Structure formats: structure tokens, C-alpha cells
Amino acid sequence: PADNAPLVQLGWSTNLAAINAFRKANSISVNEVPEKRETARQLYEEALRLDPNFAIAHASLAASLYTEACNDRQPLEAWTEAERHLQRAVSIEPRMAWAHLTRGQWLGLVRHDWRQAEAEMLRAFELEPSDNYARSKYAMLLIHQGRLFEAIAEVRKATEADVTGVGAHSMLGLALYYEQQFTQALAELD
């Protein structure tokens, strides 16, 4: 963090049982089968039951709910719950980049509120300027808006900062593909 604040001030908990539940949830890939995603969601909920002010758990639960909405659950119910957790995370700890990034993704991809989504993602960059994952997610937001040149520029920054970052190169390949730069796209995806 830019101001070197203690972890507790950045949305973490002092409750060891809550931290343990959170870490177990994080160890389960969101790309796993629905049963494992359900287990992760339950673990995030357990962390929040143990510490309702565990901001990063609110943001992570929201991200998990978003994935469930896209894959398993009734979208409206899951998205409404995700929005509540994102608002709670940002209200608990407004300096937590992950909460702003996740909220930005949600506002763009679910609400199609591109202006506010971009503002949230730019706030995440302000808080964590070297977060290449966030830069890749921002590029995806730009792609969804058809702002391909900007997306390519953003994701190039991420690939320059992290030459081995697979996610950034995949995102660059996708942006180049949509821009019909097929040879360059294949080189990034290879």
C-alpha cells in the first residue's frame, strides 16, 4: 500500500478464525466445479460471520458471487448480494484497491455503468499503481466498450511490467484480435 498502513487498516481482520476461513476460501479456484465454488462462498460467509468488518472478505465474496451468477446461480439474486458486499467493503475500507477493482468490474459488466466502473478502476490504480492484474481487468472493461486502442495501451503496460504474466498477454492477444491484428494477437497468445 502507498501509505504503508497496517494490514488491519486495509480491510483485514484481527480474528484468526475469520482469517483462516478466508484463506481456505481463497485457496479454492473460482474456476472449479460448482460444488467447490459453493464451498468457497460458504467459507467467505463464515469469515464474515466471525468478523462482519472484514472488508477484503466482503470484496472476495462479491467476486465469488459474480462468478456464481455467471455460472451457477440465479443472476439477479447473486448480483444483488454481490453489490451489497462491494458497497460494504468500500465503506469499511475505502483505501483497499481490490474492493475498488472488483466494484469497477461489477459496475461495468453487470450494471453497464461504464463511467462509474472506470472511476472505480482508476481509483484502484491510484491505490496500487503496480497491480498488473487490475490493469488487465481495466483493459477488459475498455474492450467491452469498444475502446480497443486504449485497451491495448493499458495491457501493454502490464506486459512490460510483468513479461511472464500470462493473464496480461492473453488480454493483449484478445484486444489485438478484436483490433484485427491477427499475427500480433497469435504471438501474444502463443
Side-chain angles (χ1 to χ4, degrees):
D3 63 1
N4 294 319
L7 286 177
V8 173
Q9 292 181 355
L10 292 175
W12 279 87
S13 176
T14 56
N15 181 315
L16 294 179
I19 292 169
N20 188 42
F22 173 79
R23 288 190 171 158
K24 284 181 185 175
N26 271 358
S27 71
I28 299 171
S29 171
V30 295
N31 297 320
E32 293 286 350
V33 294
E35 297 78 28
K36 288 193 177 186
R37 284 195 295 266
E38 173 71 16
T39 300
R41 183 178 54 79
Q42 289 171 350
L43 286 164
Y44 286 130
E45 289 171 345
E46 174 67 9
L48 291 169
R49 186 187 64 71
L50 293 164
D51 183 353
N53 292 317
F54 194 170
I56 197 165
H58 280 285
S60 297
L61 176 56
S64 179
L65 288 164
Y66 175 80
T67 301
E68 282 187 38
C70 293
N71 296 291
D72 310 321
R73 291 180 71 187
Q74 296 297 319
L76 185 58
E77 172 190 326
W79 287 336
T80 301
E81 190 177 347
E83 181 177 29
R84 182 174 56 83
H85 284 288
L86 287 169
Q87 289 172 342
R88 180 78 172 124
V90 172
S91 72
I92 292 168
E93 183 44 78
R95 296 174 299 152
M96 187 174 56
W98 170 244
H100 289 282
L101 172 66
T102 305
R103 190 160 189 261
Q105 289 178 272
W106 188 87
L107 284 165
L109 300 176
V110 175
R111 292 280 187 215
H112 303 282
D113 183 345
W114 306 114
R115 185 187 56 74
Q116 189 61 38
E118 186 166 7
E120 289 288 344
M121 290 189 164
L122 292 175
R123 176 67 177 142
F125 290 152
E126 183 181 310
L127 294 166
E128 291 288 339
S130 62
D131 187 346
N132 290 319
Y133 175 79
R135 196 162 296 285
S136 293
K137 292 301 180 181
Y138 178 54
M140 178 57 83
L141 183 80
L142 295 170
I143 289 170
H144 278 282
Q145 297 176 74
R147 295 165 58 187
L148 298 175
F149 290 120
E150 291 172 79
I152 291 168
E154 285 299 326
V155 81
R156 280 198 194 281
K157 291 176 192 174
T159 59
E160 289 167 7
D162 182 8
V163 179
T164 62
V166 175
H169 285 280
S170 296
M171 189 62 61
L172 179 55
L174 180 66
L176 289 166
Y177 173 83
Y178 286 136
E179 190 52 39
Q180 298 183 359
Q181 296 179 28
F182 301 118
T183 303
Q184 291 174 319
L186 286 173
E188 290 299 328
L189 296 169
D190 191 19

